[in-house]
Amino acid sequence: MSARAWRLVLLGPPGVGKGTQGRRLAQAFGVPQIATGDIFRNAVKDRTPMGTAAKSYIDAGKLVPDDVTIGLVEERLARPDAQAGFILDGFPRTAQQATALDALVQRKGLRLDGVIEIKVDAAEVIRRLTGRRLCAVCQTPYHLESASPKLPGVCDRCGGPLVQREDDDEKTVVNRLDEYQRKTAPLAEYYRGVGLLRVVDGNGDMDTVFARIMTALGAAVGPAA
Ligand code: AMP
């Protein structure tokens, strides 16, 4: 399966598991996971001009303006490692971003292979987001109830400290979910209309969800070329 270029988009509200599944898909297919949220957070940490421009939006749980975000993705997709495919995690999030992505892949004479929408109900999303903790060093995700580390507050993998993302506090989470409903959720209908959408149940453990995604992709794009 890894022999072909996979160009996939992961769609779904914050906290639904796009990051976890995106990492696994990237590994399985040998293509980069391109997570705009991660890129923005690194830019904020490094205090680059883009990070400075994005910070107030991220802190408020609002979307960063389209021109900034589209420019960032254009640049990232032009890098050599993305020529063999990519897993987009957290992009596109608006109609304008979806249009820009279409134009970008078409310009290269390519097309998207599929859009996976991961679905869980709103109460579960809030539970996942507010209980989420990340290793400050290696970014491994945990959950206070359902995926706790062996030692509280310490990463099993590298011993780093576990932290809560600043925008995972309850107030910001409400804004992020509202942004999702208003601006991003309508993209599912757009991708359904062009035959790319595959909806996957995001309830259950990560192996189960991953298996569902692989099944959905088999149905979407057929056997590896
Ligand atoms: P995430 O890690 O995907 O939940 O993204 C964290 C934050 O980064 C979001 O709440 C937005 O402020 C910003 N962000 C990430 N991706 C995008 C995007 N495609 N468009 C606009 N803002 C984004």
Side-chain angles (χ1 to χ4, degrees):
M1 266 205 185
S2 58
R4 77 190 283 289
W6 286 79
R7 297 180 186 86
L8 300 175
V9 168
L10 293 178
L11 201 62
V16 81
K18 297 188 302 296
T20 303
Q21 299 301 334
R23 254 188 303 281
R24 296 187 64 161
L25 286 164
Q27 226 169 19
F29 296 148
V31 298
Q33 173 196 25
I34 299 178
T36 41
D38 287 347
I39 299 173
F40 281 135
R41 272 185 294 281
N42 284 332
V44 170
K45 208 166 57 192
D46 296 343
R47 302 189 180 191
T48 67
M50 185 182 74
T52 309
K55 186 175 184 331
S56 61
Y57 297 96
I58 297 172
D59 288 349
K62 301 285 182 195
L63 293 186
V64 176
D66 281 336
D67 54 344
V68 177
T69 310
I70 291 167
L72 153 81
V73 170
E74 270 178 2
E75 218 172 88
R76 182 62 188 87
L77 288 181
R79 292 217 211 129
D81 65 335
Q83 306 319 302
F86 49 78
I87 312 291
L88 278 172
D89 157 7
F91 183 94
R93 260 162 143 123
T94 65
Q96 204 184 331
Q97 292 179 16
T99 307
L101 178 61
D102 282 351
L104 206 70
V105 289
Q106 274 162 24
R107 267 208 305 275
K108 297 182 184 199
L110 302 169
R111 61 179 183 86
L112 293 175
D113 294 301
V115 176
I116 305 289
E117 183 188 17
I118 309 177
K119 278 203 153 166
V120 302
D121 67 38
E124 173 65 7
V125 163
I126 291 175
R127 188 195 74 83
R128 288 189 190 183
L129 282 172
T130 51
R132 176 160 76 175
R133 298 293 181 271
L134 294 174
C135 173
V137 179
C138 73
Q139 308 299 318
T140 300
Y142 294 87
H143 190 278
L144 290 182
E145 292 158 13
S146 45
S148 55
K150 292 193 187 84
L151 264 178
V154 180
C155 178
D156 292 345
R157 191 176 287 176
C158 77
L162 303 191
V163 294
Q164 184 175 32
R165 255 173 65 169
E166 277 180 31
D167 61 348
D168 277 350
D169 71 284
E170 226 166 313
K171 186 166 161 281
T172 314
V173 160
V174 169
N175 288 342
R176 289 162 66 202
L177 292 175
D178 181 58
E179 287 280 83
Y180 182 79
Q181 281 313 325
R182 286 189 304 117
K183 298 177 180 167
T184 311
L187 297 186
E189 284 319 305
Y190 168 68
Y191 286 121
R192 194 192 304 280
V194 294
L196 285 174
L197 188 74
R198 296 296 178 271
V199 180
V200 168
D201 176 3
N203 291 292
D205 63 44
M206 58 179 96
D207 291 342
T208 307
V209 177
F210 184 66
R212 287 184 194 129
I213 292 175
M214 294 305 261
T215 304
L217 284 175
V221 296

